[in-house]
Amino acid sequence: MRLDMYLTRVFFLSFITVLAVMCCISILVEMTELIRKYNIQQVFIEKIFKLSLLHLPEMMYRILPLIILIATLAMYLSLARTSELVIIRASKRSAIRSLLGPTIATLFIGLFSVFFLNPIIASTSKYYDLLIHKYSNSSAPITTILEEGLWIWQGGTQGKKIIQASKSNSSAQEFSNVSIYGFDVSGKPSYRINAEDALLEAGSWRLRNATFWDFSELSTTRPEGINFSEFLLETDVTPEQIKQSFSKPNTIPLWKLPALVRRLDQTGFPSIEHRVWFQMELANPIFLISMLFIASAFVTKHTRVSNSGFAILTALILGFSIYFLKNFSNVLGQNFQIPVLVSAWAPPLIGISISLGFLLHLEDG
């Protein structure tokens, strides 16, 4: 038990050290990229540093498996340098049994990151995206899904529009039960349009069976509005902008994803990206454990021989391969090439199977 606690403490120290180094490197890389992207005279260095800090949690969360891999390699190399691995082997403890403490620590890191850090990362990522749009002077529409259906906010020099629809097709071109609310440049309501359905064309909304209310001339028009069999409303929104302006899965807390998936399905938009992300988040602790096993499987063998450099290289290559397999599996799942559960759970299970098979081949006890 004391040995497990000692190995857990060594692993945590190694993990914190690698995490701190990766944080510093990531901040420098992000600041360099932002300085290259924006004019330093308009977006000052303190704002760039703030953006880098806001993006840091998401970047660390994204490379957390690689941090676990490198931290495990550093831990075993440190133990080998002080001959502590030789003592552990002499105590008749197998390599698999020695992984108990680090495995529990890795599982704790994974669960903590998924259930506690995930909401913080979602908030910082959303705020980071808002600031990026602000500094880029982007006027792209904002789309969200609520219980009432689809809502689209569109800004412009002539005023703002809010479009609400109960349902849409997957290409974001055809909408049903549409309501459009127009506002002037001062923010006052100027008109309202209700339509049975709408077709988003190049440069305009084509509304069918529409009723129009002009708030600026409400006293001289009929209170029930003016009916049109077809009504054209100018817009610069495109279907691609609507689909791309949805909240990214990484900006939504984990426990809100199932409700959002249901609303996306109800309104007709594809929810495959959010469903794959949700399953991959649940599988993330297991994926971290697979990285721990991959690093330990190769290093524990070669610490007793001179060719430790080849063992480290092999562990890194296999770890990076499983990491990229996860990203590739994510793409396949979002394109309906493989089932969602397979795309999320296959990479960590493959990594654990390979590493455990290698350990069982080497160890006799």
Side-chain angles (χ1 to χ4, degrees), residues 70-139:
I70 297 173
T72 306
L73 291 174
M75 177 191 72
Y76 277 105
L77 290 177
S78 175
L79 293 176
R81 187 170 57 252
T82 58
S83 300
E84 290 173 285
L85 273 182
V86 177
I87 300 174
I88 294 174
R89 301 291 299 182
S91 65
K92 304 298 182 181
R93 176 166 295 199
S94 66
I96 296 178
R97 176 62 180 83
S98 301
L99 286 174
L100 178 62
T103 301
I104 295 176
T106 303
L107 181 62
F108 172 78
I109 292 172
L111 294 176
F112 182 80
S113 63
V114 169
F115 294 102
F116 292 94
L117 294 183
N118 180 271
I120 299 175
I121 294 171
S123 300
T124 56
S125 299
K126 183 178 294 186
Y127 189 42
Y128 173 82
D129 291 340
L130 290 175
L131 289 180
I132 287 294
H133 282 294
K134 176 183 176 182
Y135 296 148
S136 302
N137 296 321
S138 174
S139 59

Side-chain angles (χ1 to χ4, degrees), residues 8 11-12 15 64 68 99-116 281-293 345 352:
T8 302
F11 174 77
F12 263 122
F15 171 77
L64 186 58
I68 293 291
L99 286 174
L100 178 62
T103 301
I104 295 176
T106 303
L107 181 62
F108 172 78
I109 292 172
L111 294 176
F112 182 80
S113 63
V114 169
F115 294 102
F116 292 94
E281 288 298 285
L282 295 180
N284 196 51
I286 307 300
F287 190 74
L288 297 183
I289 292 177
S290 72
M291 288 294 175
L292 172 74
F293 284 5
W345 293 91
I352 290 177

Side-chain angles (χ1 to χ4, degrees), residues 292-308:
L292 172 74
F293 284 5
I294 287 172
S296 61
F298 292 92
V299 178
T300 51
K301 171 192 174 185
H302 289 280
T303 50
R304 293 171 289 178
V305 295
S306 59
N307 198 9
S308 59

Side-chain angles (χ1 to χ4, degrees), residues 237-262:
V237 174
T238 63
E240 290 74 19
Q241 287 178 325
I242 293 178
K243 291 186 289 186
Q244 293 175 2
S245 65
F246 276 112
S247 297
K248 298 177 182 178
N250 62 316
T251 61
I252 303 170
L254 186 65
W255 59 79
K256 292 184 179 180
L257 277 175
L260 178 60
V261 167
R262 288 193 299 269

